[in-house]
Amino acid sequence: MRETVVSADPVSGPEPHEALAELRKVLSRRRLGGMSAGDLLYKAYVTVLLSLFGFYLALGLVDDAAIGASEIAWVRSHGAAWVGLLVAMAIAAGMRSGVNGGPLAVDETDFHHLLLSPVDRHVTLAAPVRRLTVAAAILGIVAGAATGELASRRLPGSATAWVGSGILAGATVTLGTIGAALLVGSFAVLRNRPYLISGASIGLVAWSVVDIVWDVQSAPMTAVGRIGIWPMSFTPWALVAPVVAVAALVAGFRRVGALSLDRMARRARLVRQVRFALADQDIRSLILLRRNLGFERPRRRPMVTLRPGRIADRFPVWHRDLASYLRWPLSRLVRVGALAVVAGLSLAGVWRGTTALGIVVAVVMYLVALEAVEPFAQEIDHPGILGTAPVVEAEILVRHLVGASVVIAVMWMLAGVVAALAGAAPILAAVSAIAALPAAVVGAAGGALSIRRIGTTPGDALMMPAEVAGPRAVYRLVWPVVLAGAGVVPVVLVRNAIDRGDPGFPVAANGAVILSLLGAVLVGWVRYRDSVAAAAAGGTSMGGA
């Protein structure tokens, strides 16, 4: 009997990229929960309307009076270099992100089911890169427009010109950052040698510092700064900056398929944990996850070896704090220093009358405080070790705030020096020095309260109505930031006193006294809050932790 062989053509179906596009459409519809286009547009309309309302409400804090002729001349001569320094920091952060598997944060399911499939990797990653690019462009446009609007209120030139130049500069920075991250991450010779990228990042920032110190305009990032001050001094050669940023983005997009899968998988896992920590408002977990994203590890050997002796025996907590700070890696030192520079530039703007920049100072110094309270947080991470010692836990935690206050005070003084170099009156550096330690105590207490959820339990929010739980969550996030920026208050008070013709140093001293009283109250809160809560619940005595 003759065997019959049946042959058939393969079942026809869509191309892999077409199937991928259809799959993403289905996932998008499920993610939106069947929401109609009208509902989406309405939500977008409400969000934009509330954002504009909040922005123009914040503009009410800005003095509309134009700055003096000497300050205008300083901005025209030195403003581009200072803006270029900030741009260099942003590009350096993008390059570091490329080494660590960024800038994409692909979902873990997409990684397993799409990136490991036979579909071309470039096709799979094209859509996430486009979404990231659009988001970065929107962020740059919004930030640039807001900055241009603020500048138009104090500097000569039309509001339209300032907003337009701000939009172009902001989009250049964000797109250039994404392009730099994609390029670095797509070349194995670069991502496998992080020391090369670290050296290039430091060199890029140092080049901008040279422009500031020697009053030249040679650094490439200074071109973006020239775009930012176009309404005062138009220089057509600065158009090279957006061209280079777009070229880097296009080149990075074309090489997106060469990104490291291993590092993308690791980043996907950590980003998922970051989202969970954000939802739970767990600041400590966010800090640790961010360090893991950046492959940040303490030094194996401290910068200076501390030998045991009488000081270590008499002040063991402070000795422990110093040992922790001496093991900070170079990346953390650079990051904290960069934050101090940003705070100093914002303080200079506050001194000139743009009080709204105090918000930037508060946010930046809050980030510094979170780094400075690291020994405090490490005690919280290992409660079993401290709990077995014959000491009162809360007293040990309060002693850790001394070292954190010293670090934050140094950063406040550095910010004051940067503000003075950025064209503010020299008295600003003196005011920052006077108020540095009291403001640092307040900021350290705010960082400690943010790290440690004192007197609360995870189930508390479940027992509250939504009308109470929502504002309470916002309060818990905003209050430590406000405390971290308390050092801005003496600067504003002294500025107003000098404008009235009054001496500034007595006002600075009074502001420092007020901050000292606030710091004492906050330190007492950290010390006794748990004891008060336990006593109110019928627990232990007031002296315990």
Side-chain angles (χ1 to χ4, degrees):
M1 183 175 180
R2 186 176 181 181
E3 183 180 0
T4 304
V5 179
V6 179
S7 62
D9 294 333
V11 179
S12 60
E15 294 293 332
H17 63 277
E18 296 177 356
L20 178 61
E22 185 63 27
L23 174 62
R24 283 183 168 150
K25 289 180 182 179
V26 173
L27 293 177
S28 178
R29 287 195 295 266
R30 290 183 178 179
R31 191 180 301 113
L32 296 176
M35 188 179 299
S36 63
D39 293 337
L40 287 175
L41 291 175
Y42 176 74
K43 284 193 172 185
Y45 164 75
V46 172
T47 302
V48 172
L49 187 63
L50 292 177
S51 301
L52 290 176
F53 175 75
F55 174 66
Y56 281 101
L57 187 65
L59 286 180
L61 301 174
V62 182
D63 188 2
D64 293 340
I67 61 178
S70 60
E71 294 176 318
I72 292 175
W74 184 93
V75 173
R76 184 178 286 110
S77 301
H78 307 283
W82 282 101
V83 174
L85 176 60
L86 297 178
V87 177
M89 292 179 182
I91 299 297
M95 295 168 66
R96 290 292 304 172
S97 174
V99 171
N100 300 328
L104 292 177
V106 181
D107 188 80
E108 196 170 4
T109 56
D110 288 352
F111 174 82
H112 289 294
H113 297 287
L114 297 179
L115 288 178
L116 299 181
S117 67
V119 181
D120 183 29
R121 196 181 302 173
H122 184 276
V123 174
T124 304
L125 295 176
V129 171
R130 284 194 291 265
R131 288 196 299 267
L132 179 64
T133 302
V134 171
I138 292 175
L139 176 62
I141 289 171
V142 171
T147 304
E149 176 65 23
L150 291 173
S152 67
R153 294 171 172 257
R154 309 301 311 281
L155 298 170
S158 66
T160 303
W162 278 109
V163 171
S165 62
I167 288 174
L168 182 57
T172 300
V173 174
T174 53
L175 296 181
T177 301
I178 298 298
L182 289 175
L183 281 177
V184 170
S186 62
F187 286 96
V189 67
L190 296 178
R191 65 172 179 258
N192 294 333
R193 293 171 176 81
Y195 57 89
L196 294 178
I197 301 304
S198 298
S201 302
I202 295 174
L204 195 63
V205 174
W207 197 351
S208 296
V209 172
V210 168
D211 276 16
I212 294 172
V213 174
W214 277 276
D215 193 16
V216 295
Q217 295 185 5
S218 61
M221 300 304 128
T222 304
V224 183
R226 297 301 307 177
I227 294 176
I229 63 171
W230 263 355
M232 298 180 62
S233 177
F234 181 76
T235 49
W237 61 264
L239 283 172
V240 174
V243 173
V244 172
V246 173
L249 180 63
V250 172
F253 179 77
R254 293 177 64 88
R255 289 191 51 84
V256 70
L259 293 175
S260 172
L261 288 181
D262 293 337
R263 300 193 182 188
M264 290 180 65
R266 177 181 178 275
R267 185 179 179 86
R269 291 193 299 269
L270 292 175
V271 167
R272 185 178 60 178
Q273 298 176 35
V274 166
R275 291 169 181 168
F276 181 81
L278 280 173
D280 195 44
Q281 297 182 13
D282 189 351
I283 303 299
R284 178 57 178 170
S285 295
L286 283 174
I287 295 173
L288 296 178
L289 289 170
R290 189 208 57 76
R291 291 174 182 170
N292 285 335
L293 280 171
F295 291 92
E296 186 175 305
R297 298 289 185 272
R299 293 174 179 266
R300 294 184 178 180
R301 295 182 179 179
M303 290 178 280
V304 178
T305 302
L306 298 179
R307 299 186 181 278
R310 292 184 177 180
I311 297 179
D313 296 337
R314 189 171 183 179
F315 307 102
V317 175
W318 299 340
H319 184 272
R320 162 73 178 82
D321 293 345
L322 182 57
S324 175
Y325 297 137
L326 290 176
R327 287 188 178 272
W328 276 14
L330 179 61
S331 59
R332 194 179 307 174
L333 292 172
V334 172
R335 181 170 62 252
V336 172
L339 291 173
V341 171
V342 175
L345 296 177
S346 301
L347 271 181
V350 172
W351 182 262
R352 294 192 182 96
T354 309
T355 311
L357 287 176
I359 300 174
V360 179
V361 179
V363 173
V364 168
M365 294 309 296
Y366 173 66
L367 298 177
V368 172
L370 292 180
E371 299 287 0
V373 297
E374 178 65 20
F376 177 96
Q378 289 176 357
E379 294 284 11
I380 302 298
D381 293 341
H382 304 88
I385 298 176
L386 189 58
T388 57
V391 295
V392 178
E393 178 182 350
E395 291 183 359
I396 301 300
L397 294 178
V398 167
R399 293 178 187 177
H400 279 299
L401 297 183
V402 176
S405 300
V406 173
V407 173
I408 299 174
V410 172
M411 293 301 105
W412 271 114
M413 289 187 284
L414 177 59
V417 172
V418 171
L421 294 175
I427 191 177
L428 178 56
V431 172
S432 298
I434 293 173
L437 188 56
V441 173
V442 175
L449 292 174
S450 183
I451 290 291
R452 189 188 190 204
R453 297 186 175 187
I454 300 177
T456 61
T457 59
D460 287 347
L462 298 177
M463 306 301 294
M464 297 181 181
E467 294 79 6
V468 177
R472 179 174 177 270
V474 174
Y475 167 80
R476 289 171 57 85
L477 290 175
V478 173
W479 180 238
V481 180
V482 175
L483 294 177
V488 179
V489 176
V491 174
V492 175
L493 294 177
V494 172
R495 182 197 67 190
N496 295 337
I498 292 178
D499 291 341
R500 295 192 305 267
D502 298 332
F505 283 105
V507 177
N510 292 334
V513 170
I514 295 174
L515 289 179
S516 300
L517 295 175
L518 178 59
V521 172
L522 291 172
V523 170
W525 179 267
V526 174
R527 170 63 180 84
Y528 292 107
R529 176 61 180 90
D530 280 355
S531 302
V532 172
T540 60
S541 63
M542 294 280 292

